[in-house]
Amino acid sequence: MSFRKIAIASSLTSLLFGAGYAHAGTTGSVALTSDYVFRGVSQTNEDPALQGGIEYAHDSGFYVGAWGSNISWLSDIPGDISSSLELDGYFGYRGKAGDIFAYDVGALTYYYPGDFPDDFNEANTTELYVGGTVTPIEELSLGLKYSYSLTDLFGYVDSDGSGYLDASVNWTFTPGWTLNVHGGKQWIKENEDFEYTDWKLGVTKTFDNGFSIAAAYTDTNADEALYTNAHGTKIADGRFAVTFAKAF
């Protein structure tokens, strides 16, 4: 059985734990978002999501972390399916080469507990990733990241070896305010009709107490018919989302 799922952690997680060098210690976040959108596709049928993550980074550059969110995309598939939670675990290494270039390599597993039919191609997915960030000035970062699936990608049959390319620009144009621009391309092996590109334009306001507010508009060129769920929701259409978060 094949189905449609394009997701992985939120843009907030990328902001907190993305490609780039991190200081040693434990960090984390909790967030409430109006729509869990990743890679341009709603994971919650356009409903809100409560999310949280924690990460430990060592002085050497190695790190390990976990992240979770409520979801609905599996239960939105017709059939006897009950699954409402995404749990992610990851580990990797971050370092720097020179004053302006940082890199990040690692592995990430997405786990979806629940009840599924016996013939259901499981959604659990493992990806390897490599990323780099250039910071020519303190206020500007340019990032590029590639993820490669070792397993079937979120349940698409025979899709191991799929890839996702993520390009990003983050510009702090005034203290506390950052412009967020993203463009991505999803390749799905043996399921080319489901491939698409996505983009995002947003802004994040951070506060000294660790709170932040982010607003973003995302859109894709995905086939509308293939990305309409059983509720009639066009989950890959253009959408606006607001996220309230607290980092610790």
Side-chain angles (χ1 to χ4, degrees):
M1 177 183 293
S2 67
F3 55 89
R4 302 184 294 276
K5 195 320 184 169
I6 303 296
I8 165 58
S10 66
S11 58
L12 174 66
T13 304
S14 299
L15 177 64
L16 294 174
F17 308 136
Y21 189 75
H23 296 291
T26 301
T27 56
S29 69
V30 292
L32 177 64
T33 183
S34 62
D35 187 357
Y36 173 14
V37 180
F38 196 82
R39 297 181 182 175
V41 180
S42 174
Q43 307 306 301
T44 51
N45 195 38
E46 301 181 336
D47 288 332
L50 182 63
Q51 305 171 332
I54 189 167
E55 179 184 297
Y56 171 74
H58 190 265
D59 284 322
S60 63
F62 289 99
Y63 62 89
V64 62
W67 185 87
S69 176
N70 62 283
I71 59 164
S72 69
W73 68 269
L74 280 163
S75 297
D76 293 337
I77 300 170
D80 189 16
I81 300 171
S82 176
S83 179
S84 60
L85 185 63
E86 173 186 334
L87 298 173
D88 305 338
Y90 61 93
F91 67 92
Y93 179 83
R94 298 190 187 101
K96 296 192 72 174
D99 294 331
I100 67 170
F101 180 73
Y103 59 89
D104 183 8
V105 295
L108 173 59
T109 292
Y110 318 96
Y111 175 65
Y112 302 94
D115 296 319
F116 306 94
D118 292 338
D119 62 345
F120 198 73
N121 196 40
E122 70 173 28
N124 302 334
T125 299
T126 296
E127 288 184 330
L128 301 179
Y129 58 85
V130 57
T133 303
V134 176
T135 308
I137 57 174
E138 183 178 356
E139 297 82 8
L140 179 66
S141 67
L142 312 172
L144 193 65
K145 178 179 179 181
Y146 183 75
S147 300
Y148 176 87
S149 63
L150 297 179
T151 62
D152 282 350
L153 183 75
F154 304 114
Y156 286 102
V157 174
D158 298 328
S159 62
D160 57 301
S162 298
Y164 183 76
L165 183 64
D166 177 348
S168 62
V169 177
N170 293 286
W171 173 43
T172 302
F173 54 91
T174 193
W177 290 89
T178 301
L179 179 69
N180 314 119
V181 182
H182 153 85
K185 171 65 178 181
Q186 179 71 68
W187 292 276
I188 309 176
K189 191 175 179 181
E190 303 298 335
N191 294 267
E192 288 78 8
D193 288 346
F194 291 90
E195 296 179 349
Y196 65 92
T197 59
D198 69 282
W199 62 271
K200 179 183 78 171
L201 180 63
V203 64
T204 301
K205 169 60 178 174
T206 57
F207 301 91
D208 292 338
N209 57 9
F211 284 95
S212 66
I213 302 174
Y217 182 83
T218 61
D219 202 355
T220 79
N221 68 348
D223 187 312
E224 188 175 279
L226 297 179
Y227 284 85
T228 299
N229 66 20
H231 302 289
T233 304
K234 298 176 177 61
I235 57 175
D237 272 9
R239 64 192 62 250
F240 181 79
V242 177
T243 301
F244 300 90
K246 172 68 166 100
F248 57 87

